[in-house]
Amino acid sequence: AQSVTQLGSHVSVSEGALVLLRCNYSSSVPPYLFWYVQYPNQGLQLLLKYTTGATLVKGINGFEAEFKKSETSFHLTKPSAHMSDAAEYFCAVSEEGYQKVTFGTGTKLQVIP
Amino acid sequence: KAGVTQTPRYLIKTRGQQVTLSCSPISGHRSVSWYQQTPGQGLQFLFEYFSETQRNKGNFPGRFSGRQFSNSRSEMNVSTLELGDSALYLCASSRGGSGANVLTFGAGSRLTVL
């Protein structure tokens, strides 16, 4: 069964500092991995996805994530946090041939001026 | 291109009533998934429909049901509402074929049960 674990329900960073949000997954087959962002009173928006190929994936708004099979991780990073990055971030996993997408519990990112 | 549209955006019901939520997917998308989001449980998968057939189902009681129409629009219904059903219900659409299931979400329907 597929599952996702996000470490840290709340993360605070200073504006301009590195953002690192952690995600570990479990999957019985090669996974598809995603990061979504949710702003208050809105639905989720896709930040980036990993399917196959290059393990370093670049997304929107300067975010990127690296797929590490040996560590079953897919951590999200951004070199320099901006105030507009304050939101809740969700890691998700799905598998080929199985359309259900399983989400982690989310990490709320606070950016301190 | 229009996004995923959910109606109503907000609604208030009382215990024991039933509610129907609607979702219009992106044009060309044949798969619709429904999720329940609460502060305590996070995002919980309800079910997924593709070409009018339920393909996947989460661990929710039978009070939660859904359907999909021939134009891919979907509805979900919750009968005999309980206080714990208060949540944001999110609908997401995707092409639904092979490969990664990239979901596009609507803004959600926020249900409050009194």
Side-chain angles (χ1 to χ4, degrees), chain A residues 12-54:
Chain A
S12 294
V13 299
S14 298
E15 191 175 16
L18 171 72
V19 175
L20 171 61
L21 304 182
R22 300 178 186 274
C23 172
N24 288 89
Y25 70 91
S26 173
S27 175
S28 56
V29 298
Y32 299 130
L33 295 162
F34 312 85
W35 276 99
Y36 285 83
V37 61
Q38 185 178 33
Y39 298 100
N41 299 315
Q42 295 186 27
L44 280 70
Q45 177 185 0
L46 180 69
L47 271 180
L48 51 79
K49 67 180 187 290
Y50 169 78
T51 54
T52 59

Side-chain angles (χ1 to χ4, degrees), chain A:
Chain A
Q2 57 191 35
S3 67
V4 166
T5 301
Q6 290 185 242
L7 298 176
S9 58
H10 290 81
V11 170
S12 294
V13 299
S14 298
E15 191 175 16
L18 171 72
V19 175
L20 171 61
L21 304 182
R22 300 178 186 274
C23 172
N24 288 89
Y25 70 91
S26 173
S27 175
S28 56
V29 298
Y32 299 130
L33 295 162
F34 312 85
W35 276 99
Y36 285 83
V37 61
Q38 185 178 33
Y39 298 100
N41 299 315
Q42 295 186 27
L44 280 70
Q45 177 185 0
L46 180 69
L47 271 180
L48 51 79
K49 67 180 187 290
Y50 169 78
T51 54
T52 59
T55 56
L56 182 62
V57 180
K58 295 187 184 299
I60 62 171
N61 301 336
F63 285 94
E64 62 182 35
E66 185 171 11
F67 170 62
K68 291 188 176 180
K69 183 178 178 181
S70 61
E71 299 177 8
T72 60
S73 69
F74 191 58
H75 302 331
L76 181 71
T77 61
K78 181 174 180 178
S80 176
H82 192 272
M83 295 300 294
S84 61
D85 295 328
E88 189 161 18
Y89 293 79
F90 293 89
C91 183
V93 63
S94 72
E95 298 169 354
E96 174 64 51
Y98 188 48
Q99 294 296 317
K100 175 184 173 182
V101 179
T102 300
F103 286 84
T105 51
T107 298
K108 285 188 178 176
L109 176 66
Q110 179 187 23
V111 182
I112 303 166

